[in-house]
Amino acid sequence: MEIKHISGLAPYAKTLAAMEARVAQIAAGTADEAIWLLEHPPLYTAGTSTNPADLTDPTRFPVHIAGRGGQYTYHGPGQRVVYVMLDLNTRGRDVRRFVCALEDLIIATLAAFNVRGERRAGRVGVWVVRPDRMGVGGAAAEDKIAAIGVKLRRWVSFHGISINVEPDLSHFSGIVPCGIKDHGITSLVDLGLPVTMADLDAALLAQLPQMLARLQSDVPDTCNA
């Protein structure tokens, strides 16, 4: 498996084309699986379930059609994007298990910084409870810290996850992130943690072997626990 850090700010369209080419090669058996870690310049992406009304500031940043599942998302400096190109033909052909494994990867990575990431029914991604702020119905606020959006082609995955390390959170205001209006967005630095991108990468890559093993194990996934 290739694990590659792409330096600088990776142009979205060029990176997407390279990812799609790699997926075709993996499906054809001519290239290894790959995981790319990168940052993009500020931009919005539109998934296959996008509601046009959720793009509230269409001239703020470039908008790209992503082709992945989900709705509008933001990418930009300070956010770790992880593109995951795995051959699920050899890893169980179970989409739900795959998404669950990605969630587990994020949750375990956040735990390395003593951040409790949680799932929420009906809300894709990973969330943190903010007891210092009041949210919907008087309960503690919940903010999204990581997003998931994947696509499969011939059972090879692409797109993947993003984790907010230190992006400009005001950039999310040009969209309704993932169509969710009643909750906020946070990052590790926003939570008061002086985490660098290198710190995040080290924690994530340390958890990666466990995620890959889980995809091929007989242990029930944690989404069904």
Side-chain angles (χ1 to χ4, degrees):
M1 177 181 294
E2 174 192 64
I3 297 177
K4 180 169 72 173
H5 284 80
I6 298 176
S7 60
L9 298 179
Y12 188 81
K14 181 179 179 180
T15 305
L16 182 61
M19 179 167 52
E20 291 192 340
R22 183 58 174 262
V23 165
Q25 293 167 350
I26 295 169
T30 60
D32 292 334
E33 297 175 309
I35 293 178
W36 295 348
L37 298 94
L38 54 103
E39 295 172 79
H40 285 303
L43 57 91
Y44 298 129
T45 67
T48 55
S49 302
T50 293
N51 178 355
D54 288 343
L55 181 61
T56 59
D57 190 352
T59 64
R60 186 170 190 178
F61 297 124
V63 180
H64 296 269
I65 305 301
R68 52 153 177 80
Q71 302 184 48
Y72 281 111
T73 60
Y74 166 78
H75 293 314
Q79 181 191 73
R80 174 54 83 212
V81 174
V82 185
Y83 288 137
V84 181
M85 291 157 272
L86 297 181
D87 186 356
L88 298 189
N89 288 290
T90 64
R91 298 183 184 277
R93 284 195 176 192
D94 187 328
V95 177
R96 178 182 172 82
R97 191 179 189 90
F98 174 55
V99 173
C100 183
L102 291 176
E103 291 172 341
D104 285 341
L105 175 63
I106 296 167
I107 290 168
T109 298
L110 295 175
F113 307 104
N114 295 315
V115 173
R116 181 182 175 87
E118 300 179 354
R119 297 177 174 88
R120 287 295 181 265
R123 287 192 255 142
V124 178
V126 175
W127 300 78
V128 295
V129 176
R130 305 295 302 270
D132 55 315
R133 297 208 314 268
M134 184 177 295
V136 177
E142 295 179 350
D143 288 348
K144 190 171 190 175
I145 195 168
I148 300 173
V150 297
K151 185 174 181 178
L152 299 178
R153 183 173 295 159
R154 294 172 61 186
W155 285 103
V156 178
S157 70
F158 57 121
H159 296 281
I161 65 176
S162 60
I163 303 174
N164 296 332
V165 179
E166 193 180 7
D168 185 336
L169 296 180
S170 72
H171 288 179
F172 286 88
S173 64
I175 57 173
V176 179
C178 299
I180 297 170
K181 300 178 180 179
D182 296 331
H183 301 279
I185 302 290
T186 192
S187 69
L188 288 166
V189 171
D190 182 55
L191 293 173
L193 301 169
V195 177
T196 67
M197 197 67 73
D199 295 333
L200 187 282
D201 290 347
L204 186 144
L205 293 176
Q207 296 298 326
L208 184 60
Q210 183 176 352
M211 186 208 85
L212 297 174
R214 184 172 295 155
L215 283 175
Q216 294 177 290
S217 75
D218 294 326
V219 177
D221 67 54
T222 53
C223 292
N224 292 320

